Amino acid sequence: MSETGWVRDQYQYSWLQRLGINVLKVGSIPRHVAVIMDGNRRFAKQSGVATIEGHSKGFDKLAETLQWCRELGVKEVTVYAFSIENFKRGEKEVEALLNLAKEKFKVLISEEEKLKKNGVRVKIIGNISYLPEDMQDIVKKAEKITENNSEATLNVAFSYTSREEITHAVIESCKMVEQGDIKPNEIDQDLLESLMYTNHSSNPDLLIRTSGETRLSDFLLWQASSSITYFTPVLWPEFSIWHLLAGVFFYQRHQHSLDKLRKAGSQGGGGKGCQLDQLEQDTTVASLLGNWWSGGIKTE
């Protein structure tokens, strides 16, 4: 099997990694995990390699992480691959990023049978009209060949920002009013959600951001409003299975509190939303898990 592919079945887990996975699977596993894959450029700079090499290493880490998620039983993964804001970077870097993405999507298309075997559906979320036409054709084909797969979903946020997504939904709802399809007072939360790029998707249970930044950077602002958010200082290309397990452990610690808030919200419990601030980010044990891979215990 090629090491450049999206579907990797040959990862060899150490006994300690296998133990960690099995222990966490006793508890609740998030159905949907979203990831802000941050730190590729800093990794390249620290490693003394070209920026695009950092992004390439980031893709390799994505492929590994998807396998770990599948092993844990995560059914849906959403990754922030390319922001609309990235178009503001230098011309050479943008061109290199788009060429890398084109190459990787072509690899994905070539793995149609593997994706079918594993039941993975691929969805591109974002405004692809900003992309070159040949790139648009490639991402549409990636969606088309996997549309009937139903075991797991990979959402790739490409040419995406949350503000643009919300604006798009509002504009579409206004068009529906102008066309006489709905009345103005029929515009509500459910309608807007149905017009978003993620209308096929559940809201993320767990959102992970790497690189030490503690912001969402215009990613799933609507959908992640009540997600449990886990920030880790590791740069994305250095993300390990232990960092993922630490994030899942953090989710399990706070899931009960979040479930109570969601239930209160669904019952119209006004004011309960402010209690989200009380989900204290006590990550002592989670940080320990995340550091095992580089500490005294060798896992790989």
Side-chain angles (χ1 to χ4, degrees):
M1 181 209 63
S2 171
E3 283 300 308
T4 61
W6 292 69
V7 183
R8 303 185 180 184
D9 298 321
Q10 304 303 317
Y11 187 87
Q12 298 298 316
Y13 297 97
S14 70
W15 70 268
L16 194 55
Q17 291 170 342
R18 181 64 66 183
L19 176 63
I21 291 171
N22 289 338
V23 167
L24 287 183
K25 287 175 77 171
V26 173
S28 177
I29 298 297
R31 186 188 184 283
H32 183 179
V33 174
V35 185
I36 301 176
M37 307 179 293
D38 192 21
N40 291 340
R41 292 199 292 178
R42 269 175 281 172
F43 172 81
K45 185 176 182 180
Q46 291 177 11
S47 302
V49 299
T51 299
I52 194 60
E53 181 64 21
H55 292 301
S56 182
K57 292 291 186 183
F59 168 77
D60 290 337
K61 187 56 61 178
L62 167 60
E64 280 190 316
T65 303
L66 293 175
Q67 181 180 5
W68 301 333
C69 286
R70 194 164 67 245
E71 185 70 27
L72 278 166
V74 175
K75 294 298 184 183
E76 186 168 8
V77 176
T78 300
V79 295
Y80 204 2
F82 190 87
S83 167
I84 291 173
E85 295 297 314
N86 290 155
F87 284 111
K88 297 178 181 179
R89 294 182 179 179
E91 183 178 347
K92 288 185 177 180
E93 182 179 359
V94 172
E95 183 179 0
L97 277 170
L98 292 178
N99 286 336
L100 176 64
K102 188 186 302 182
E103 172 194 331
K104 298 307 181 183
F105 277 116
K106 286 181 178 178
V107 171
L108 184 148
I109 291 169
S110 74
E111 294 185 306
E112 179 178 356
E113 289 305 313
K114 288 182 180 179
L115 292 164
K116 184 177 181 179
K117 178 181 176 182
N118 287 276
V120 179
R121 176 179 60 161
V122 176
K123 297 288 289 184
I124 310 303
I125 60 173
N127 189 338
I128 66 171
S129 68
Y130 289 113
L131 300 175
E133 287 190 14
D134 61 336
M135 185 73 182
Q136 293 182 38
D137 292 339
I138 290 170
V139 298
K140 288 176 182 177
K141 185 173 182 180
E143 287 190 312
K144 181 66 177 177
I145 65 172
T146 64
E147 64 182 358
N148 293 321
N149 301 340
S150 58
E151 292 298 315
T153 300
L154 170 62
N155 302 306
V156 182
F158 204 90
S159 187
Y160 174 90
T161 64
S162 188
R163 286 175 297 173
E164 192 279 334
E165 177 184 34
I166 294 170
T167 301
H168 165 80
V170 171
I171 291 173
E172 290 301 309
S173 67
C174 292
K175 288 180 180 177
M176 293 173 70
V177 172
E178 290 176 354
Q179 294 167 359
D181 297 328
I182 61 171
K183 298 177 180 178
N185 61 5
E186 292 178 312
I187 297 178
D188 58 12
Q189 177 176 317
D190 290 338
L191 177 65
L192 292 178
E193 288 180 347
S194 73
L195 296 172
M196 291 188 186
Y197 304 132
T198 55
N199 56 18
H200 62 280
S201 175
S202 61
N203 289 337
D205 302 296
L206 170 66
L207 188 150
I208 297 173
R209 176 164 188 158
T210 60
S211 87
E213 297 291 341
T214 54
R215 52 194 170 86
L216 297 185
S217 296
D218 216 347
F219 179 57
L220 301 182
L221 300 181
W222 181 293
Q223 298 86 344
S225 61
S226 60
S227 302
I228 292 174
T229 307
Y230 178 70
F231 300 107
T232 176
V234 68
L235 301 179
W236 175 246
E238 298 175 320
F239 190 78
S240 77
I241 188 171
W242 292 108
H243 295 105
L244 177 62
L245 296 183
V248 173
F249 177 78
F250 183 76
Y251 165 81
Q252 291 179 345
R253 291 189 67 246
H254 293 294
Q255 182 203 12
H256 180 65
S257 297
L258 184 61
D259 285 347
K260 288 191 348 185
L261 291 175
R262 285 175 170 170
K263 183 177 180 181
S266 66
Q267 294 175 347
K272 293 291 185 179
C274 64
Q275 295 180 33
L276 284 169
D277 296 332
Q278 298 173 12
L279 294 180
E280 178 189 1
Q281 294 205 9
D282 177 9
T283 60
T284 304
V285 179
S287 296
L288 176 62
L289 280 171
N291 288 330
W292 270 5
W293 72 281
S294 61
I297 300 176
K298 300 298 182 182
T299 61
E300 297 181 13

